[in-house]
């Protein structure tokens, strides 16, 4: 997707504060953090929303959760706790249409979310 900002970050065309990467997944700090730790876990491959997931994406989505666990340990928030969120479509607040798992931590998280 040539006009996708997260594809451009994955391709190295736009800078980002990348804290983890492998052949499938990239993790970088959110430009507008909502918590002391706020990172985005994305697949390198463009998938617009959770609604676009296919059965063959199961391993990739599972891997994103395992990466979240690793990054939480790396960021020192694994024990105190953190929140992971996928926003799907505009009604849930999705603004970038390349799936991303938010990981937020470093402060108490309220429930229910806004
Ligand atoms: P959404 O609202 O789609 O769930 O989340 C998109 C997130 O991407 C927002 O938290 C926003 O701050 C972040 N974001 C948007 N553009 C950029 C960018 O160019 N770089 C980084 N690092 N984060 C971005
Ligand atoms: Zn993309």
């Amino acid at each position: 997707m040539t006009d996708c900002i997260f594809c451009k970050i994955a391709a190295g065309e736009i800078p980002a504060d990348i804290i983890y990467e492998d052949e499938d997944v990239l993790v970088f700090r959110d430009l507008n953090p909502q918590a002391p730790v706020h990172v985005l876990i994305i697949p390198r491959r463009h998938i617009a929303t959770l609604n676009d997931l296919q059965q063959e994406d199961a391993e990739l989505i599972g891997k994103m959760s395992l990466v979240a666990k690793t990054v939480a340990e790396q960021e020192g928030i694994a024990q105190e706790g953190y929140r992971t969120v996928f926003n799907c479509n505009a009604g849930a607040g999705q603004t970038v249409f390349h799936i991303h798992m938010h990981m937020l931590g470093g402060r108490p998280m309220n429930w229910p979310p806004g």
Side-chain angles (χ1 to χ4, degrees):
M1 285 287 284
T2 51
D3 60 347
C4 170
I5 195 156
F6 286 180
C7 280
K8 286 181 178 164
I9 287 174
E13 292 166 11
I14 289 180
D17 188 355
I18 295 168
I19 61 168
Y20 173 93
E21 61 182 315
D22 62 30
E23 66 276 23
D24 302 313
V25 173
L26 192 70
V27 184
F28 51 92
R29 296 193 192 282
D30 197 292
L31 205 56
N32 182 25
Q34 302 302 312
V37 176
H38 185 179
V39 304
L40 302 172
I41 300 159
I42 72 164
R44 287 187 181 277
R45 182 160 55 83
H46 184 86
I47 302 170
T49 79
L50 281 191
N51 289 339
D52 299 299
L53 284 178
Q54 305 293 325
Q55 189 58 42
E56 56 265 30
D57 300 322
E59 196 172 332
L60 179 60
I61 289 294
K63 183 170 183 177
M64 288 168 70
S65 289
L66 289 169
V67 167
K69 169 190 152 173
T70 302
V71 169
E73 286 164 0
Q74 202 174 292
E75 292 292 309
I77 56 172
Q79 289 312 311
E80 70 187 56
Y82 53 92
R83 178 161 302 164
T84 58
V85 179
F86 283 97
N87 295 323
C88 181
N89 273 344
Q94 186 173 5
T95 58
V96 177
F97 286 81
H98 176 133
I99 58 168
H100 47 281
M101 180 192 283
H102 294 259
M103 173 192 276
L104 303 116
R107 66 164 169 83
M109 292 291 155
N110 298 322
W111 195 264

